[in-house]
Amino acid sequence: TSKEGRRVHFTDTGEKGWRPILFIGGVGTSGRAPELVAFLDTMRKRLKLRIIAVERNGLGDTAFDPGWTFADYNSETAQVLDHLGIGKFALVAISGGGAYAGHIVQAMPQRIASWHMLAAVSTAGADVERCRQDEATFAARLGPQVAAPRVWWEMPKDGVSAHVRGFNDRTADEGARAFFIAGQNGDPRGVAREYKRFCEPPAD
């Protein structure tokens, strides 16, 4: 439980003394997002990397709070790291995790050992359609995708992911966790708010 009174969910591979990495998954992913790259686990162990992920608002086991902000994510993440006794850490962000990574770096630059962005985005122009749409309308548009995780995570059949055994099943499982595990019944508000955050100015 955070000092702000929120229940914060996180995952930690837990190897004490290994190099800590804060992993920030893409839009609509839960705190279990690191499992999407579990096919790299042999390499992770060889390199002695400890992966931590802090779940975001309205996804997985974490309740949706309409007032939750980037500043709340910064605070919750810092508290989790403190709880685990982690000072400096490497930062890895994938896709829509880029915006959160920028705010983490801005909030705690002294703790960043290295920063890695993988196909990551941090902002969207104000002229992008979702930035012009009101949040309720945008959430309604996302509803059918959020209600069907296989649709949310649909990948090209001839794409790179098709060559990773089991990846498509793992993504469907992650979508089901993010959107249903706490009884959300496919509540699209958390994802809609995630997308709308890209309409805000990026971290300096």
Side-chain angles (χ1 to χ4, degrees):
T1 301
S2 72
K3 65 185 181 184
E4 294 87 3
R6 273 176 59 82
R7 188 74 170 160
V8 180
H9 299 269
F10 65 93
T11 56
D12 172 22
T13 53
E15 295 91 340
K16 307 287 184 183
W18 287 19
R19 186 183 185 194
I21 294 176
L22 177 65
F23 182 100
I24 308 178
V27 168
T29 55
S30 76
R32 300 274 179 95
E35 292 182 11
L36 293 171
V37 292
F39 57 87
L40 298 173
D41 208 45
T42 300
M43 182 173 70
R44 180 189 74 79
K45 289 176 180 175
R46 188 168 66 246
L47 296 174
K48 296 187 175 180
L49 304 177
R50 175 184 181 181
I51 298 177
I52 297 105
V54 180
E55 197 160 74
R56 302 191 298 266
N57 185 46
L59 300 167
D61 283 306
T62 304
F64 178 72
D65 176 353
W68 192 88
T69 65
F70 282 121
D72 291 307
Y73 181 71
N74 294 343
S75 176
E76 291 170 6
T77 299
Q79 290 177 66
V80 167
L81 294 170
D82 291 344
H83 171 72
L84 296 174
I86 292 171
K88 282 201 164 190
F89 57 91
L91 178 60
V92 173
I94 292 179
S95 188
Y100 293 90
H103 286 272
I104 287 288
V105 172
Q106 184 184 50
M108 51 188 101
Q110 73 284 357
R111 298 180 78 163
I112 308 297
S114 60
W115 182 9
H116 313 270
M117 301 278 268
L118 309 174
V121 293
S122 60
T123 187
D127 59 335
V128 173
E129 183 184 0
R130 66 173 172 264
C131 295
R132 298 194 310 266
Q133 253 181 356
D134 69 87
E135 197 164 314
T137 301
F138 184 56
R141 274 185 55 203
L142 291 174
Q145 284 179 278
V146 170
R150 286 194 187 279
V151 174
W152 174 263
W153 276 100
E154 189 172 21
M155 304 279 185
K157 289 184 171 43
D158 58 349
V160 174
S161 67
H163 300 285
V164 180
R165 184 178 298 169
F167 185 73
N168 288 340
D169 283 337
R170 193 175 289 275
T171 58
D173 290 344
E174 165 57 21
R177 177 172 187 82
F179 304 141
F180 296 105
I181 195 70
Q184 298 99 318
N185 295 319
D187 184 348
R189 293 178 300 167
V191 178
R193 181 60 59 88
E194 290 232 298
Y195 274 121
K196 294 291 271 186
R197 282 196 187 93
F198 292 107
C199 304
E200 300 173 23
D204 293 332

